[in-house]
Amino acid sequence: DKVCAMREDETDPPDHRSLLRSLALRALAERTFVRPSDAPAPLGEDVQLLEMDLHRAGRQELGISDEAAPSHRAALRRVLNCWCAARPHIGYVQGINCIAAALLVMCEHSEDEAAVLLQLLVERLPADWYLDQLKGGRVECGALLLRR
């Protein structure tokens, strides 16, 4: 990958967080994405699953304090609502909350950046990636936090 490749004279690995955030900002400028502020609330089973999973998004593992938890969950809810609006044919899938939460932390709680990265990341995955409670997604979530 050209974006992540290091030149021979470089000694430090690339800053993946900065690269991803730059990608998000460029994508927001160049393409039309559903943004959290514009996304309608999900309906039916999606809203029930989403609400049940908000508190299961690994808040402590991500370093979110008890004081910051309510605002983190509200931002996470908006990003997940955005996901459901952007991908209604998939809807809410258990486990996607962990990926969205990690992206929110990585993007310093920029909801637009986290939402667009979630859409970009997941649209490139194989269709069966969503099955079996996103086992593959848990690996992806851990990879986002490796350089923390």
Side-chain angles (χ1 to χ4, degrees):
D1 222 86
K2 288 183 181 179
V3 175
C4 294
M6 289 176 52
R7 294 188 328 246
E8 288 182 27
D9 61 337
E10 290 181 284
T11 57
D12 293 329
D15 178 0
H16 296 290
R17 287 179 180 212
S18 295
L19 289 172
L20 285 171
R21 291 190 75 188
S22 173
L23 173 69
L25 292 172
R26 188 173 48 222
L28 284 166
E30 294 174 359
R31 288 178 52 188
T32 302
F33 285 92
V34 176
R35 293 176 182 250
S37 57
D38 299 330
L43 302 171
E45 187 180 12
D46 281 346
V47 72
Q48 294 169 349
L49 291 172
L50 191 155
E51 288 298 324
M52 283 182 359
D53 279 356
L54 280 174
H55 72 281
R56 300 183 213 167
R59 179 181 64 80
Q60 285 96 0
E61 294 85 354
L62 293 171
I64 305 297
S65 69
D66 291 343
E67 296 79 30
S71 62
H72 172 74
R73 285 192 185 117
L76 181 57
R77 178 182 291 111
R78 288 187 291 272
V79 169
L80 293 172
N81 285 348
C82 183
W83 165 260
C84 291
R87 301 292 185 270
H89 59 287
I90 298 169
Y92 182 78
V93 181
Q94 286 187 307
I96 203 144
N97 58 325
C98 295
I99 298 167
L103 288 168
L104 262 175
V105 170
M106 185 195 77
C107 293
E108 298 174 358
H109 281 80
S110 168
E111 294 173 28
D112 282 350
E113 288 179 32
V116 75
L117 284 174
L118 182 64
Q119 292 173 55
L120 288 171
L121 173 70
V122 179
E123 78 182 6
R124 288 168 169 53
L125 298 172
D128 63 351
W129 190 86
Y130 305 100
L131 302 176
D132 202 17
Q133 296 188 338
L134 289 178
K135 285 184 182 177
R138 295 175 195 275
V139 173
E140 306 292 340
C141 186
L144 288 171
L145 297 174
L146 285 177
R147 305 218 98 206
R148 199 169 146 203

